[in-house]
Every structure is written in structure tokens, then in C-alpha cells.
Amino acid sequence: MTASGSPEVDAPSAVSPGSDVVLSARGLRKTFGTLEVLRGVDIDVRRAETVCVIGASGSGKSTLLRCLNLLERPSSGSIFLEGSEITSTKANVDDVRTRIGMVFQQFNLFPHMSVEANLMLALRKVRKLDAATAKEIATARLSEMGLAEKATWRPAQLSGGQQQRVAIARALAMEPKVMLFDEATSALDPELVKEVLEVMRSLARRGMTMVVVTHEMGFAREVADRVLFVDGGLIAESGTPSEIFTQPRTDRLRSFLSRVL
Ligand code: ADP
Ligand code: MG
């Protein structure tokens, strides 16, 4: 994958059909009023690649992920999923969201529904599956997360780590082409972080295509194929974990790393 805020590194071009790029963005900008949060982001995420996104709080990481699955409408720029432009007015947003799974810091499970019902909801409403099929898929995904016996429980009866694994199972149930994680472990008690990182690590190993915003530098170092450093709404540096963590090129990245490592 390549990504950069500077055109000489990553010339804008549409993704050709059959390319192994699953998700890409060109010239992505997002402003809130007068605040320019994304200032021209180019990104390519290849099949089975794990891209970790690091950067200071407020640098635009969440906005980038939210734009990528159209939770936020980019102010300008284009996003392509498997070669077709999802920022086109003709794109079906529901369809895009089934193909891009997202996991949030705060789980976002429905508290009044059982774990299983949380998984079945979008399968029924969006993928229009019948109840028996939806339940079968929900059971399978929960079993993979080691949560089969929690199917009828309410989210609040589970630990934070278990709730986050439910949220991951729910996203996977839709058979997404790419998974976006926005600080998926930041709301967890320290002793629960490991079990969620382990699930993410195993997804990466099994070839899931993932974009992971994380403060877990150890995870980024170990699991990422590429690391992007976001600074002031731009991808200020990108490279392999060893390039980013041991040979940072800019003062901004060096200073960020000195604060977090
Ligand atoms: P990060 O995830 O890197 O901490 P965010 O993408 O959440 O950064 O936020 C980047 C900047 O955009 C922050 O200054 C934040 O206050 C602002 N911002 C994010 N979402 C909104 C919004 N919906 N309306 C106004 N400002 C926003
Ligand atoms: Mg954020």
C-alpha cells in the first residue's frame, strides 16, 4: 500500500478493475465549518493488508475512518471500494456499509437487545436474510469469538472485552471486504486489552483487510504491514513499522513517538 499527502509519492489515479487494492481514497478533504480536519489524504489499502494509523489526538484519524465508510460525507475527494467510486451520488450507502465493517472505541451495541439479536439485526434488515439463516450466521461468528454461551445475554452483562468481541463478530457477520477499527481497545480496562488485540491479530493473520487506528504501538509494530502517521489532517509519513518506529524522517513523528513510546 502507498499513502501520502504529497502528490509526488502517490499520484492520483483511479483503481483499475482486478487490482488488489480494496479501498482507496484520493484527495480526501473534510471541513467542519471553518475547521479543516482532512486536508487532502490519499490512501490505498491492498487485499489482506493491515494498515495501522497513528497520530496525536485531534489529528483527524477518526474523521478519516468515518469518511472511508461514509459515516461522514467528505467535503471533496473520492473514495473507491473494490474499484467503484462510493463517493459517487449513485452509490448505495447501505451496501457500502455492509462491505466496510467498523468497530468503535465505545462498542456501539444496542443495550436492550441480546448479543445474538445485535448480530442478527443488520443481517435481517440490510442483508434481508430470514431469521433462521441470520441466527445461524450469528451463532457461527459468536462461536469463533468464544462467545457462543453468551448469545442470549445483554451487552451490559458482559465485560468490556467481551462486548468489543461481540462488536467485532457483528461486523464480521456482514462478510465485509475491509474492517476499520477506531481505537478499539481504548475504552477497555488494561487487563482486557489483550484479548481484543489477540482477536485483531488473528483476523490479520487470516487475511482480513484492515485499517486500524490505534494507540497500541506494540500492536502496530508487530501486526501492521504499513503504518501511516497522521498529522494535522495529512498523512505526514508512511512506511513499514520498522521505518516508522526506528527511522522517523520528520520532527513531528519523532516528537510524537517520544511522547507515546
Ligand atoms: P482523532 O481521531 O485523530 O483524535 P478526530 O478526527 O476525531 O481526531 O478530530 C479531528 C478534529 O476534528 C478535532 O479538532 C475535532 O474536534 C474535529 N471534529 C471531529 N468531528 C467533528 C464534528 N462532527 N464537528 C466538528 N468538529 C469535529
Ligand atoms: Mg479518534
Side-chain angles (χ1 to χ4, degrees):
M1 92 131 264
T2 56
S4 168
S6 45
E8 72 276 13
V9 182
D10 199 354
S13 67
V15 174
S16 58
S19 141
D20 70 344
V21 174
V22 176
L23 182 65
S24 63
R26 288 292 175 272
L28 202 60
R29 290 175 179 271
K30 178 68 184 177
T31 56
F32 294 108
T34 55
L35 183 66
E36 212 178 2
V37 175
L38 297 180
R39 298 191 295 134
V41 171
D42 294 339
I43 178 169
D44 284 315
V45 185
R46 301 207 139 76
R47 199 167 307 286
E49 189 176 40
T50 297
V51 176
C52 284
V53 179
I54 63 172
S57 176
S59 58
K61 304 179 300 295
S62 293
T63 304
L64 171 60
L65 283 200
R66 294 169 59 80
C67 282
L68 287 177
N69 79 345
L70 304 182
L71 281 175
E72 297 283 0
R73 273 276 159 193
S75 304
S76 65
S78 309
I79 301 168
F80 301 87
L81 178 61
E82 296 190 304
S84 41
E85 188 183 350
I86 62 176
T87 33
S88 129
T89 50
K90 284 177 243 142
N92 176 334
V93 174
D94 277 342
D95 176 56
V96 167
R97 300 241 180 86
T98 66
R99 293 190 289 148
I100 305 181
M102 183 141 171
V103 175
F104 303 87
Q105 187 176 332
Q106 297 293 345
F107 324 140
N108 292 7
L109 299 171
F110 293 106
H112 60 290
M113 295 168 73
S114 70
V115 158
E116 175 181 76
N118 265 278
L119 267 74
M120 290 172 64
L121 186 67
L123 289 169
R124 303 223 43 207
K125 298 258 185 235
V126 181
R127 285 185 60 196
K128 317 273 190 227
L129 299 177
D130 61 67
T133 310
K135 187 164 175 137
E136 202 177 299
I137 293 171
T139 305
R141 295 294 86 82
L142 287 172
S143 300
E144 285 164 7
M145 292 291 154
L147 293 169
E149 72 283 10
K150 306 289 188 203
T152 59
W153 294 35
R154 296 289 167 95
Q157 297 175 291
L158 306 185
S159 73
Q162 289 170 331
Q163 290 184 60
Q164 192 59 297
R165 285 188 283 141
V166 171
I168 295 171
R170 179 177 62 177
L172 292 175
M174 301 300 280
E175 296 178 20
K177 300 298 178 188
V178 52
M179 288 278 285
L180 312 179
F181 293 86
D182 192 359
E183 292 189 28
T185 60
S186 293
L188 299 176
D189 291 334
E191 74 272 20
L192 302 177
V193 167
K194 242 174 97 178
E195 71 188 54
V196 172
L197 290 181
E198 189 45 54
V199 166
M200 293 167 66
R201 188 180 287 119
S202 106
L203 276 177
R205 287 216 187 97
R206 281 159 43 198
M208 176 57 75
T209 306
M210 321 211 299
V211 182
V212 180
V213 171
T214 187
H215 288 307
E216 296 288 336
M217 297 300 144
F219 177 86
R221 210 171 205 160
E222 179 204 328
V223 180
D225 297 297
R226 302 279 293 178
V227 179
L228 310 182
F229 170 57
V230 173
D231 186 48
L234 289 170
I235 294 173
E237 269 191 60
S238 73
T240 63
S242 107
E243 285 166 347
I244 291 292
F245 291 110
T246 63
Q247 304 151 49
R249 287 178 278 125
T250 58
D251 288 340
R252 300 284 294 183
L253 177 54
R254 269 191 289 274
S255 142
F256 172 75
L257 291 175
S258 74
R259 278 177 280 131
V260 296
L261 287 181

